[in-house]
């Protein structure tokens, strides 16, 4: 396995430098009289950037724990403290790391306060309450109501009221006035970066795709972490330029690309390399992912940044109905010429995994594209069974052959 390799994306080196500088700045924040806030991945980071607070993401750190295969060890530490094994493995890794300091990057800097938005799941609410008690720091909480059908103006006003309250809390914590002009500028940069990320992902509509979702899972770090800053825009301009060059030259992320797939849910971080190589060997390119697209949906172009942020963050992918998610996936299937969908039924992320069987059926009915559901976990490899997953993937690709041959 793995005799063929995906060509290296050179912009990745720039991203590593950027993220190293970012983490170094966060670790040295106290020495430089800067404040640090831990924030959920779906939280409105623009509030922090506008107040010159360094955002730190326990979920990103959790992903690093997964990639470096520290997940089981850290999860067991949390479980021995009494936290259920059914709890999100990011939360268990984070709690295990916070109390022991064990980490692939020597731990995260202590937060001055926490910013939590429950637009991605309900677990983060309790997780951040635990962190607030552990570190004895204030918790700023943004409640985003679930969108069952269409977003109502009442919901938007409710989230706006949460944001205004959060701003007042941060002013009290930091002892300085919130600068609305600065916030407008940050929101504009964040919206531009989100659009650019979306345009970058859309380059994979080309056949062959110049980048795979496995590349994207690594290259998404800046849009998750530092959107709202100029350097993120500069980075994605560089990445986009490189990928456009690949498109012009016909460079494929998966040499000899035959099959085009869509990935649903978070990656299986501890199996990224093995799965990437497996799909390369099968000449199958993961051309898109709902997880990657989640950060390409922020429309922050409105003149009122509080209103724009409220609308954008309330409509997170997993904060909307199963039907809405299915329709978004149908657009991806059709736009990216997808042959099949891999659904990662993620034991740790029930909001994301809920409804996957129904969505699979809807997509097949609407587009004719089949799907495969694989059981795993993003970080906890104790619930992953290598043999059956790989066998099912191989069998699924075999079933795509007649469909692909009919389209050629």
């Amino acid at each position: 396995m793995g005799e063929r390799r995906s060509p290296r994306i050179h912009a990745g080196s720039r991203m590593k430098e950027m993220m190293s500088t970012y983490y170094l700045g966060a670790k040295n924040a106290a020495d430089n009289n800067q404040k640090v806030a831990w924030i959920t991945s779906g939280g409105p980071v623009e509030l922090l950037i506008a107040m010159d607070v360094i955002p730190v993401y326990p979920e990103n750190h959790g992903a690093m724990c997964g990639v470096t295969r520290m997940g089981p060890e850290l999860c067991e530490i949390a479980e021995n403290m009494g936290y259920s094994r059914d709890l999100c493995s990011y939360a268990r890794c984070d709690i295990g790391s916070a109390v022991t300091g064990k980490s692939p990057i020597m731990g995260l800097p202590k937060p001055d306060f926490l910013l939590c938005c429950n637009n991605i799941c309900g677990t983060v609410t309790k997780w951040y309450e635990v962190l607030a008690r552990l570190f004895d720091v204030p918790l700023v909480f943004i409640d985003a109501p679930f969108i069952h059908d269409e977003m109502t103006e009442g919901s938007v006003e409710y989230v706006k009221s949460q944001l205004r309250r959060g701003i007042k809390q941060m002013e009290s914590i930091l002892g300085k006035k919130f600068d609305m002009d600065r916030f407008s500028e940050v929101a504009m940069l964040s919206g531009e970066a989100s659009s650019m990320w979306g345009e970058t992902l859309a380059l994979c509509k080309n056949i062959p795709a110049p980048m795979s979702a496995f590349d994207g899972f690594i290259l998404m770090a800046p849009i998750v972490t530092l959107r709202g800053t100029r350097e993120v825009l500069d980075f994605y301009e560089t990445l986009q330029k490189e990928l456009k060059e690949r498109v012009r030259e016909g460079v494929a992320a998966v040499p000899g690309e035959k099959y085009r797939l869509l990935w649903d849910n978070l990656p299986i971080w501890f199996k990224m390399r093995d799965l990437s190589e497996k799909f390369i060997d099968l000449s199958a390119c993961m051309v898109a992912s709902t997880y990657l697209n989640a950060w390409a949906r922020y429309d922050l172009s409105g003149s009122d940044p509080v209103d724009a942020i409220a609308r954008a963050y309330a409509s997170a992918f997993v904060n909307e109905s199963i039907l809405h998610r299915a329709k978004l996936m149908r657009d991806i299937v059709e736009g990216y010429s997808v042959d099949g969908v891999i659904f990662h039924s993620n034991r740790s992320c029930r909001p994301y995994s809920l409804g996957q069987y129904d969505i699979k059926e809807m997509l097949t009915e609407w587009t004719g594209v089949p799907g495969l559901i694989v059981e795993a976990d993003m970080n906890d490899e104790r619930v992953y069974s290598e043999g059956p997953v790989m066998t099912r993937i191989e069998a699924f690709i075999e079933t795509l052959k007649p469909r692909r041959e009919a389209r050629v």
Side-chain angles (χ1 to χ4, degrees), residues 83 114 126-137 139:
Y83 293 100
L114 309 167
K126 294 302 174 188
W127 174 3
Y128 273 61
E129 286 176 357
V130 169
L131 293 175
R133 290 195 294 272
L134 181 64
F135 291 109
D136 192 22
V137 295
L139 169 61

Side-chain angles (χ1 to χ4, degrees), residues 235-396:
F235 169 69
Y236 286 115
E237 282 176 359
T238 302
L239 174 60
Q240 208 176 97
K241 184 178 178 183
E242 181 177 348
L243 295 182
K244 285 180 177 176
E245 187 65 25
R246 281 190 173 198
V247 171
R248 277 192 292 274
E249 295 179 357
V251 176
V254 171
E257 174 192 300
K258 290 182 181 175
Y259 309 104
R260 297 169 63 82
L261 305 174
L262 165 63
W263 179 273
D264 184 50
N265 214 311
L266 280 72
I268 305 170
W269 290 112
F270 54 90
K271 281 293 168 185
M272 281 268 286
R273 178 185 290 274
D274 289 347
L275 285 169
S276 173
E277 291 180 351
K278 167 58 77 176
F279 285 111
I280 289 174
D281 285 348
L282 294 169
S283 301
C285 183
M286 203 68 67
V287 297
S289 158
T290 55
Y291 187 57
L292 297 176
N293 273 54
W295 282 271
R297 304 178 63 222
Y298 294 119
D299 179 4
L300 302 177
S301 58
S303 57
D304 178 354
V306 174
D307 184 85
I309 291 285
R311 292 177 190 278
Y313 284 89
S315 56
F317 181 69
V318 293
N319 202 44
E320 296 190 285
S321 70
I322 289 172
L323 179 60
H324 188 78
R325 285 165 52 188
K327 288 178 178 176
L328 287 174
M329 291 179 70
R330 178 187 61 190
D331 293 342
I332 295 175
V333 165
E334 293 175 347
Y336 287 73
S337 307
V338 166
D339 298 305
V341 183
I342 307 289
F343 293 87
H344 169 202
S345 180
N346 187 348
R347 181 185 172 87
S348 269
C349 194
R350 288 175 178 77
Y352 214 140
S353 305
L354 179 69
Q356 282 180 317
Y357 282 90
D358 292 323
I359 293 173
K360 173 176 170 288
E361 295 303 316
M362 282 188 264
L363 287 179
T364 301
E365 181 181 340
W366 293 342
T367 67
V369 168
L372 170 70
I373 293 180
V374 295
E375 305 277 347
D377 188 285
M378 60 216 184
N379 261 25
D380 191 349
E381 51 192 290
R382 294 172 298 174
V383 297
Y384 178 76
S385 186
E386 174 95 343
V389 169
M390 292 300 188
T391 300
R392 295 191 69 203
I393 288 173
E394 289 174 5
F396 180 66

Side-chain angles (χ1 to χ4, degrees), residues 223-239:
I223 192 66
V224 175
T225 309
L226 294 170
R227 58 185 181 279
T229 64
R230 173 61 64 182
E231 62 182 327
V232 171
L233 268 175
D234 294 342
F235 169 69
Y236 286 115
E237 282 176 359
T238 302
L239 174 60

Side-chain angles (χ1 to χ4, degrees), residues 140-159:
V140 179
F141 181 72
I142 308 295
D143 181 27
F146 189 82
I147 300 173
H148 294 278
D149 188 9
E150 297 293 330
M151 189 189 303
T152 66
E153 287 306 307
S155 293
V156 174
E157 288 303 317
Y158 174 67
V159 179

